[in-house]
Amino acid sequence: MRAPAWLPLPLRRVLRVVRRYWRVVARRVQVWSAPARRAWRRSLQLRVVALTLVASSLLVGAFGWFIADRSAKILLSRAQDEVQISMRNKVAYAEQQLTVHPQARDPRLPKTFNNIVSQLADGDPSESGGSMVSIRAEGHPELPSVTSRNVETDELITGDLIHQVADEEKVARQIVTARVNDHTTKYLATGSPVPTSFGHVELYYMVPLTTEDSAANQIRTTVLATGIALVIMLGVIAGLVTRLVVTPVRVAARTAQRLSAGLLDQRMKVDGEDDLALLAASFNQMAANLQRQIVRLEELSRLQRRFTSDVSHELRTPLTTVRMAADLIFAERDEFDPAVARSAELLQAELDRFESLLTDLLEISRFDAGFAALDAEHSDLVPIVERVADRLAGLAERVGVVIELRLPDQPVIAEVDPRRVERVLRNLVGNAVEHGEAKPVQVTLASDDAAVAITVRDHGIGLKAGEERLVFNRFWRADPSRARQTGGTGLGLSISAEDARLHGGWLEAWGAPGEGAQFRLTLPVRSGDRLLAAPLPLIPRDRSPALAEEPVAEPETEVV
């Protein structure tokens, strides 16, 4: 996202720098968190344990906070009740002692203040724990304030408390944290007016809440420790329970992987009679059924391949005899009647096709049996392409198709089996000529350091969507009613695809209705290397404008 143009230039520069550093930080965080995110996606046990820990932590935390807060309030309420009872007694005692003084200027009144404070402090069992008693007369400034302990009480007896007790004549209390004798302590300060014959004075009772705070902290610590232990225990229990469920699933996954790899005798261990045992038993039953079906299909496939191979070999002998007789009849056809001569020509053509079909069936049986071998050698592909074009020149001339060769000037050397490469090209160019609709067919050859590619482009009827994969199936034809010019067997492209795979290469097809088709053969320069890219595009440049800008040199065009 760009900075708005109306912002000042320095600010836009700052935003660009911030955005750049933000992207760097985001990428680093993404890289660092990749293992954790990968583990989160792949481990069901981790997700269950993590969600259990989060949910239990929230629940236990809320419950623990409620217990600790409620306990602290109960302790404070009990302290306030005790202070309230004690305060009533102290006020009653002070009122009794002050009734003998009719006016505030009585010289004996300060002594009475001291006696009251001393008596109240001595009679208070919590006085040793730090509580204090203080008497003040805010309405009579001439009377001094008296406190049971020689400490400053300005922080404990605040102005707000004095206003409520002295001015509003209320019994008030507040919790104050003050520093007394170099110790910071929380106090419950309670004040009450004491009626006298000359007005009223104020009695303050300050009790430290050290015991209550200590008890509340102990409760919080206990609840926290118990909550952490409970969360850990719940996590462990969730991990164990999840492991009991996930382990059979993982075993089933590993067993399924072994089955897919061809180890058909792999089975799961069945323990008990629960749902997991039922899952294992059902899985084993499914694996056994699959094994039987696969073995049966393999046996049928083996018998089919053997039948095809045996029949092809057995047909060789009668075909040879029939071929000899047909050649003899074909050689003497000029002496026959026109109808018989035409029959001899048809017999000769069908025998050629039948012989080609037997040859293709034998080749397919070798591929199926895994006996096909690659006789690779360093070969120049330029003369191979030219030789294929020369052999198909007669057919192209009959159907009115021009074969255009786009070959580089320098040799293109690759480690290939020239016989198989020539057979692939012969099939591709022959199909392009047959389906070219009397339009030119371009054969292009290009190479780089790792691969060599040959494309065959025609401008005929083309292929429908999805047919680019079906063309390599055995005996598949886009239009079964279409008359063939070359008398093909329907196995050419299938054999070509097997030849390409035997080289470790690719044979791919592209086509569009009414726009023709293009086949691309890609082979590694060195036998056994892995292909990563092709020097030529699969989609023709005249079809895809985006590919027209690719920096692939156009070789010279030769018309055959």
Side-chain angles (χ1 to χ4, degrees):
M1 180 179 179
R2 296 182 178 272
W6 52 266
L7 290 176
L9 182 59
L11 183 56
R12 280 186 287 173
R13 290 178 178 175
V14 171
L15 290 178
R16 282 197 296 268
V17 172
V18 171
R19 184 169 61 250
R20 186 183 304 114
Y21 280 103
W22 171 255
R23 290 175 179 174
V24 171
V25 171
R27 282 195 296 267
R28 290 184 178 179
V29 170
Q30 188 175 9
V31 171
W32 293 339
S33 61
R37 289 186 284 110
R38 189 182 306 109
W40 177 265
R41 292 194 306 268
R42 295 182 177 180
S43 177
L44 175 62
Q45 185 177 9
L46 176 62
R47 293 199 297 271
V48 171
V49 172
L51 293 177
T52 302
L53 289 176
V54 172
S56 59
S57 298
L58 295 176
L59 181 62
V60 172
F63 182 74
W65 175 85
F66 175 77
I67 293 297
D69 182 70
R70 187 61 181 170
S71 300
K73 289 181 178 179
I74 291 174
L75 291 173
L76 180 60
S77 177
R78 291 179 58 183
Q80 290 176 349
D81 293 341
E82 293 176 357
V83 169
Q84 184 178 0
I85 294 173
S86 179
M87 191 65 180
R88 283 200 296 265
N89 295 333
K90 294 180 187 301
V91 170
Y93 177 78
E95 182 182 358
Q96 181 182 4
Q97 296 298 319
L98 292 174
T99 54
V100 299
H101 301 283
Q103 58 183 359
R105 295 181 179 180
D106 190 342
R108 297 175 299 171
L109 191 57
K111 184 178 180 181
T112 302
F113 279 5
N114 289 326
N115 291 334
I116 291 174
V117 170
S118 299
Q119 185 64 32
L120 293 178
D122 293 340
D124 188 0
S126 63
E127 178 67 23
S128 59
S131 62
M132 293 176 286
V133 179
S134 177
I135 291 182
R136 292 187 177 191
E138 296 294 335
H140 304 280
E142 69 276 8
L143 294 176
S145 60
V146 181
T147 305
S148 60
R149 296 170 61 184
N150 189 19
V151 295
E152 293 290 337
T153 59
D154 294 339
E155 296 183 12
L156 296 176
I157 304 175
T158 62
D160 184 40
L161 181 62
I162 293 174
H163 173 71
Q164 295 183 44
V165 177
D167 299 340
E168 299 180 2
E169 298 184 8
K170 294 180 180 179
V171 178
R173 66 171 66 91
Q174 64 180 5
I175 297 175
V176 182
T177 301
R179 190 170 182 82
V180 179
N181 293 334
D182 298 330
H183 294 286
T184 301
T185 309
K186 184 186 292 185
Y187 280 87
L188 175 61
T190 306
S192 176
V194 179
T196 64
S197 56
F198 53 86
H200 73 270
V201 296
E202 298 84 40
L203 178 65
Y204 297 95
Y205 182 35
M206 292 151 286
V207 179
L209 299 177
T210 307
T211 304
E212 287 75 10
D213 280 350
S214 177
N217 290 333
Q218 290 181 0
I219 292 174
R220 293 190 189 97
T221 303
T222 302
V223 170
L224 179 62
T226 304
I228 293 176
L230 182 60
V231 169
I232 294 175
M233 186 180 302
L234 288 175
V236 172
I237 293 175
L240 293 176
V241 173
T242 309
R243 183 180 179 84
L244 291 176
V245 178
V246 171
T247 299
V249 177
R250 291 176 177 172
V251 172
R254 287 194 296 267
T255 305
Q257 291 175 353
R258 296 191 185 102
L259 288 172
S260 63
L263 303 176
L264 301 179
D265 59 342
Q266 295 295 311
R267 298 293 183 270
M268 292 180 62
K269 184 178 180 181
V270 180
D271 292 328
E273 300 177 357
D274 55 6
D275 295 336
L276 296 178
L278 179 60
L279 171 64
S282 302
F283 186 90
N284 291 341
Q285 183 65 32
M286 178 190 68
N289 293 336
L290 287 177
Q291 183 181 13
R292 286 195 296 269
Q293 292 294 333
I294 291 174
V295 171
R296 179 172 172 270
L297 292 176
E298 287 180 348
E299 181 65 20
L300 291 176
S301 178
R302 186 184 64 82
L303 291 175
Q304 182 182 10
R305 291 195 300 268
R306 182 177 178 181
F307 173 78
T308 303
S309 179
D310 292 346
V311 168
S312 300
H313 281 90
E314 291 298 328
L315 287 177
R316 280 292 182 182
T317 301
L319 178 61
T320 303
T321 304
V322 174
R323 164 65 70 179
M324 293 173 61
D327 289 342
L328 181 60
I329 296 174
F330 185 76
E332 301 294 335
R333 68 183 183 281
D334 294 337
E335 300 179 1
F336 300 151
D337 295 335
V340 179
R342 179 57 180 165
S343 299
E345 293 175 355
L346 293 176
L347 177 63
Q348 185 73 10
E350 291 302 320
L351 281 176
D352 291 339
R353 187 184 178 197
F354 188 41
E355 188 173 11
S356 177
L357 177 60
L358 281 181
T359 302
D360 290 346
L361 288 175
L362 286 174
E363 190 68 23
I364 285 290
S365 65
R366 293 191 191 98
F367 282 118
D368 291 340
F371 294 151
L374 187 68
D375 188 11
E377 60 184 38
H378 290 86
S379 305
D380 185 4
L381 297 181
V382 174
I384 295 178
V385 176
E386 293 176 344
R387 187 163 56 249
V388 170
D390 290 339
R391 291 183 178 180
L392 293 173
L395 173 63
E397 186 178 355
R398 288 199 307 271
V399 297
V401 172
V402 177
I403 301 177
E404 300 176 357
L405 300 183
R406 301 179 178 183
L407 307 177
D409 295 333
Q410 66 275 11
V412 178
I413 306 300
E415 192 176 356
V416 298
D417 188 338
R419 180 182 64 87
R420 296 183 183 275
V421 173
E422 184 176 347
R423 181 168 60 188
V424 173
L425 294 179
R426 190 167 57 250
N427 283 319
L428 297 181
V429 177
N431 286 336
V433 169
E434 180 182 358
H435 299 87
E437 300 292 330
K439 298 177 182 179
V441 172
Q442 291 91 25
V443 181
T444 307
L445 172 63
S447 65
D448 55 22
D449 295 337
V452 57
I454 304 173
T455 60
V456 179
R457 171 78 163 109
D458 68 74
H459 301 81
I461 59 175
L463 297 173
K464 299 178 182 178
E467 291 183 348
E468 65 273 3
R469 295 184 179 180
L470 298 177
V471 292
F472 300 108
N473 292 344
R474 299 175 184 178
F475 300 107
W476 184 86
R477 293 181 63 184
D479 185 5
S481 62
R482 181 182 178 89
R484 299 184 62 94
Q485 302 292 332
T486 59
T489 62
L491 296 174
L493 289 179
S494 177
I495 295 176
S496 299
E498 295 293 343
D499 284 333
R501 279 193 287 269
L502 194 61
H503 281 85
W506 307 328
L507 182 57
E508 303 160 284
W510 169 89
E515 299 185 30
Q518 176 162 293
F519 287 79
R520 181 179 67 181
L521 173 64
T522 309
L523 303 175
V525 172
R526 290 168 293 276
S527 180
D529 288 358
R530 182 181 179 184
L531 288 178
L532 299 177
L536 293 173
L538 176 61
I539 302 177
R541 295 183 182 87
D542 57 359
R543 173 59 171 80
S544 176
L547 293 175
E549 300 177 359
E550 290 192 2
V552 180
E554 285 288 346
E556 296 182 355
T557 301
E558 175 186 352
V559 179
V560 178

